[in-house]
């Protein structure tokens, strides 16, 4: 099941401090899911940074999120009214750190 309500309750408490939302996206992620998450965060506080992080696939499994899909996700999140939408790589994977 989805945990939208639980995530939002947590975010309401966490935003008392400096907070950001990071969404790890895969080839199975949809723009609709990103839009729903971004809209929920925006409704709470438009200034919470919203970070999209495409998963780095392992050699044996997984498929990377394409550039076109990532741009679509960023546009979907930006339409929600969030002020800070960014995409960052999984640096620990690139560096070989678990």
């Amino acid at each position: 099941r989805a945990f939208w309500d639980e995530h939002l309750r947590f975010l309401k408490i966490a935003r008392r401090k400096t907070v950001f939302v990071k969404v790890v996206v895969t080839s199975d992620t949809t723009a609709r899911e990103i839009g729903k998450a971004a809209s929920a965060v925006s409704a709470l506080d438009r200034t919470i940074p919203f970070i999209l992080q495409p998963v780095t696939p392992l050699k044996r499994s997984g498929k990377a999120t394409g550039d076109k899909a990532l741009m679509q996700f960023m546009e979907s999140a930006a339409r929600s009214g969030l002020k800070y939408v960014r995409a960052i790589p999984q640096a620990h994977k690139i560096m070989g750190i678990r």
Side-chain angles (χ1 to χ4, degrees):
R1 78 176 181 88
F3 291 94
W4 294 104
D5 293 335
E6 291 85 348
H7 291 310
L8 286 177
R9 279 198 303 270
F10 174 82
L11 188 56
K12 284 178 186 178
I13 295 167
R15 77 182 179 114
R16 295 176 189 158
K17 301 285 184 179
T18 301
V19 67
F20 64 91
V21 171
K22 178 175 77 172
V23 180
V24 177
V25 298
T26 70
S27 59
D28 294 329
T29 304
T30 66
R32 184 171 184 256
E33 291 170 316
I34 298 300
K36 183 174 181 175
S39 292
V41 173
S42 181
L44 184 62
D45 184 345
R46 292 176 2 128
T47 65
I48 293 174
F50 192 84
I51 310 300
L52 296 171
Q53 190 173 62
V55 70
T56 303
L58 300 173
K59 292 178 185 175
R60 298 183 307 274
S61 63
K63 189 172 122 186
T65 303
D67 293 344
K68 185 176 178 180
L70 186 58
M71 290 304 297
Q72 186 180 32
F73 296 160
M74 290 183 70
E75 290 168 3
S76 180
R79 280 193 298 273
S80 72
L82 288 168
K83 291 184 75 176
Y84 308 103
V85 177
R86 304 288 185 269
I88 61 172
Q90 290 184 313
H92 64 288
K93 299 273 183 106
I94 294 168
M95 296 167 46
I97 300 171
R98 288 185 157 228

